[in-house]
Amino acid sequence: AQSVTQLGSHVSVSEGALVLLRCNYSSSVPPYLFWYVQYPNQGLQLLLKYTTGATLVKGINGFEAEFKKSETSFHLTKPSAHMSDAAEYFCAVSESGGYQKVTFGTGTKLQVIP
Amino acid sequence: EADIYQTPRYLVIGTGKKITLECSQTMGHDKMYWYQQDPGMELHLIHYSYGVNSTEKGDLSSESTVSRIRTEHFPLTLESARPSHTSQYLCASTGLGSTGELFFGEGSRLTVL
């Protein structure tokens, strides 16, 4: 069975500061990993994904994440927070093959302080 | 921009009413999903479909039902709404051979009084 743990349901950063949102996963097979962003009253939008190959993946809006197999982590970072980054972020894991069940973390709400 | 649409976006309804939440996608995706989302909780899969005439229950037991008569359409129905059904319902889809990347609609927020 696969699972996702997101440390910190709420994270606050100052505008211009580093954003670090943590995600750890468990999976019995090599995982596919995702970060989604959800703005208020909207659905989820894919930020970035890791499938195979390069372990540092870049996404939209200046975000990136690094797949670390030894740490079973896929933390999301952005060097400099912008007010428009305030949203809820979900980490997700998918197992290859079959119906590709996707399991989501509980989400981290990012607040950006001016 | 994802081409998946949900209606209504917001619905307030009394107990015992029948409701249908609509979900349509124009991407030709075979796989479609319904998730239930409560504040501070992870998304819970309640229904999914591999294609036309295929429907399966997800991880979270739900009193809702779904149908898949057309590839692009995956409506969710509650025969008799109750306050415990108050939640946000998110529809998503993905194509054949995908790595699990989901395309989401904007959600339907249901409030049952």
Side-chain angles (χ1 to χ4, degrees):
Chain A
Q2 58 191 21
S3 66
V4 177
T5 301
Q6 289 185 241
L7 278 177
S9 58
H10 290 81
V11 170
S12 293
V13 300
S14 298
E15 191 174 15
L18 171 72
V19 175
L20 171 61
L21 304 182
R22 298 178 186 276
C23 173
N24 288 87
Y25 70 91
S26 69
S27 176
S28 56
V29 299
Y32 299 142
L33 295 159
F34 308 86
W35 276 100
Y36 289 86
V37 60
Q38 185 179 32
Y39 298 102
N41 300 315
Q42 293 188 23
L44 279 69
Q45 177 187 5
L46 184 72
L47 264 183
L48 50 78
K49 65 179 179 182
Y50 168 79
T51 55
T52 58
T55 56
L56 181 63
V57 292
K58 296 184 185 299
I60 61 172
N61 302 337
F63 284 93
E64 60 183 37
E66 186 171 12
F67 169 56
K68 291 187 176 181
K69 184 178 178 182
S70 61
E71 298 177 7
T72 61
S73 69
F74 191 58
H75 302 330
L76 181 70
T77 60
K78 182 174 180 178
S80 176
H82 191 272
M83 295 300 295
S84 61
D85 295 327
E88 189 152 19
Y89 293 80
F90 291 89
C91 183
V93 61
S94 166
E95 293 182 351
S96 59
Y99 121 74
Q100 294 167 340
K101 176 181 175 177
V102 180
T103 300
F104 288 87
T106 53
T108 297
K109 191 161 287 188
L110 177 67
Q111 180 186 23
V112 182
I113 303 165
Chain B
E1 205 167 299
D3 296 310
I4 180 164
Y5 307 100
Q6 291 186 242
T7 57
R9 292 288 317 280
Y10 303 93
L11 179 63
V12 180
I13 203 165
T15 296
K17 300 292 187 183
K18 177 179 178 179
I19 65 110
T20 297
L21 305 180
E22 302 286 352
C23 177
S24 295
Q25 51 93 6
T26 59
M27 297 172 281
H29 285 168
D30 289 304
K31 299 176 186 176
M32 296 190 72
Y33 309 83
W34 277 103
Y35 285 89
Q36 186 172 337
Q37 183 184 28
D38 295 310
M41 304 289 286
E42 65 263 43
L43 280 71
H44 290 290
L45 180 68
I46 52 174
H47 298 284
Y48 63 96
S49 167
Y50 287 143
V52 171
N53 294 325
S54 152
T55 60
E56 302 287 345
K57 291 193 178 294
D59 301 324
L60 182 67
S61 176
S62 174
E63 293 167 348
S64 59
T65 58
V66 293
S67 62
R68 189 89 184 275
I69 299 171
R70 302 197 316 265
T71 298
E72 63 270 23
H73 195 215
F74 192 41
L76 180 146
T77 298
L78 274 166
E79 290 293 333
S80 179
R82 294 207 299 269
S84 60
H85 296 139
T86 295
S87 189
Q88 170 145 271
Y89 294 84
L90 291 170
C91 182
S93 71
T94 191
L96 266 179
S98 84
T99 53
E101 173 185 347
L102 297 174
F103 294 87
F104 282 87
E106 292 192 307
S108 292
R109 186 169 293 280
L110 173 65
T111 301
V112 184
L113 303 175

